[in-house]
Amino acid sequence: MNAYYLQSFGVVGQFSENISIDKVNFAPDPKSGRSTASFADFVQMSGVKGKVSITRSVFDGPHDDPINIHGTYLEVVGQPGPNTLTLAYEHPQTAGFPQFTPGDEVEFTTKRTMVPPADAHAKVTAVDGPSGMDHEKPLTTMTVTFDRPVPAGVETGGTVVENITATPSVVISGNVFRNVPTRGVLLTTRKPVLITGNRFDGMSMASIYVSADAYQWYESGPVADLTIRGNSFTRPTGPVIFVEPTNQVIDPANPVHHNISVDHNAFDIGDVTVVNAKSVGGFGFTGNTVRRLDGPNHPPYTAPLFVFHGSSGIRIARNHYDKGLNIAVVSD
């Protein structure tokens, strides 16, 4: 399938289940003279269950990110009862669609730390809010009732809520990313993720970006099992792999993200940082090859390959580095 022109988002999955994209050419028609095929993301997945599989496709010339997979944080703005909260969409472009159904499990998260308080899960028993079908109710707020009292520590204006039932496992394999003015893959889901066998060529920002954001876009949530294996990153902008949750309080003993493995990839880079990661518990960088684009006869690079903030369990081993790279590990 050729997707030559997409007026806005290309493929949107929202509260869907088990989505596969295979052998799709997201690129402008070579005969058209155009340099872009979309005015936004090629693939946007929000609140999807089951498995998202994106394989053997080309992502060439979007105006925004080729792939973005996430949930949505809603902020606590009121508590009308012991088991009930009023929740709000906080990003100005997010409104009008339902976020929870009875039986869904949610997790409460403290905005300043981006980690859950104690006893942070509950199940939804009732929802009163937008339907996605009409304008009869407010489009940005909803009242949600749970099967238990709201946990201690949940605060109006200081806590966000994520639907963790609507989070997918993800496989992104065998794809090509090129002519991208933004990031390559944005991804935040707590289910297992495998990014393997892809070619990232000349990304203008991070090739792989992991956030968990309760201050700007409100795209949830943490990653708990992310493997980046057997990919090639050519001519990247640094950092190539960027992990940046929005927590204001950084505590290495209570990280936002867990268990990220980067292994057996090839990085052909200029003078850039390969990994910049914040608030990760368990980060491995093993068996990778890092090469200089300009060769060893030029002045040595100065940018450290690795930068970590408030992270623990870092393992960097058995990698091959060209001469003249700054293999320092900067950690605070």
Side-chain angles (χ1 to χ4, degrees):
M1 174 181 174
N2 291 312
Y4 288 149
Y5 175 75
L6 304 162
Q7 189 274 332
S8 182
F9 288 121
V11 178
V12 175
Q14 188 164 294
F15 288 94
S16 303
E17 188 170 1
N18 296 328
I19 295 176
S20 296
I21 297 171
D22 183 49
K23 293 185 178 179
V24 179
N25 178 40
F26 295 93
D29 186 341
K31 296 178 289 186
S32 69
R34 291 184 290 105
S35 60
T36 187
S38 172
F39 290 141
D41 298 356
F42 279 140
V43 175
Q44 171 89 213
M45 298 283 148
S46 176
V48 174
K49 298 180 182 179
K51 180 179 181 181
V52 172
S53 176
I54 303 173
T55 55
R56 300 184 294 180
S57 296
V58 174
F59 297 90
D60 184 338
H63 267 192
D64 209 336
D65 310 305
I67 297 174
N68 189 356
I69 301 173
H70 60 87
T72 302
Y73 285 125
L74 280 79
E75 188 161 310
V76 176
V77 296
Q79 185 174 349
N83 290 36
T84 304
L85 292 173
T86 303
L87 306 177
Y89 291 121
E90 290 296 329
H91 191 273
Q93 295 174 345
T94 306
F97 58 96
Q99 186 66 217
F100 308 98
T101 59
D104 287 344
E105 186 176 6
V106 305
E107 182 175 86
F108 304 95
T109 298
T110 302
K111 288 183 65 173
R112 282 179 54 77
T113 63
M114 293 303 295
V115 298
D119 197 19
H121 290 194
K123 286 194 174 181
V124 175
T125 59
V127 183
D128 185 16
S131 67
M133 306 290 288
D134 54 49
H135 290 70
E136 294 181 359
K137 296 180 179 180
L139 299 182
T140 59
T141 60
M142 62 192 71
T143 301
V144 183
T145 303
F146 305 102
D147 64 346
R148 49 157 295 182
V150 173
V154 170
E155 298 179 349
T156 298
T159 303
V160 289
V161 181
E162 179 187 14
N163 185 341
I164 63 173
T165 296
T167 54
S169 63
V170 176
V171 173
I172 299 173
S173 174
N175 304 288
V176 175
F177 300 85
R178 62 188 180 221
N179 298 320
V180 175
T182 52
R183 289 71 56 98
V185 173
L186 284 72
L187 190 143
T188 48
T189 176
R190 64 191 63 221
K191 301 288 177 59
V193 176
L194 176 63
I195 301 175
T196 185
N198 303 285
R199 179 159 59 89
F200 296 86
D201 183 17
M203 299 296 102
S204 298
M205 300 169 72
S207 297
I208 297 174
Y209 179 49
V210 176
S211 184
D213 178 357
Y215 283 91
Q216 183 180 11
W217 292 98
Y218 285 82
E219 294 180 354
S220 63
V223 300
D225 182 0
L226 168 59
T227 301
I228 301 168
R229 174 180 298 148
N231 304 281
S232 67
F233 301 89
T234 305
R235 303 182 301 130
T237 298
V240 185
I241 297 169
F242 193 22
V243 182
E244 189 192 34
T246 63
N247 50 317
Q248 309 299 300
V249 176
I250 304 173
D251 180 2
N254 294 285
V256 176
H257 299 296
H258 296 82
N259 302 325
I260 298 176
S261 175
V262 181
D263 66 86
H264 297 91
N265 302 278
F267 299 87
D268 291 278
I269 64 171
D271 193 358
V272 301
T273 295
V274 170
V275 173
N276 187 322
K278 169 187 172 185
S279 198
V280 180
F283 190 104
F285 189 90
T286 59
N288 299 284
T289 299
V290 187
R291 295 181 289 253
R292 295 175 48 148
L293 283 171
D294 61 1
N297 295 325
H298 293 263
Y301 289 175
T302 59
L305 291 185
F306 308 102
V307 178
F308 294 93
H309 308 282
S311 298
S312 60
I314 299 166
R315 182 171 182 264
I316 300 173
R318 304 193 312 275
N319 301 293
H320 172 77
Y321 306 104
D322 271 359
K323 291 181 180 179
L325 292 168
N326 181 358
I327 63 173
V329 179
V330 177
S331 182
D332 58 29

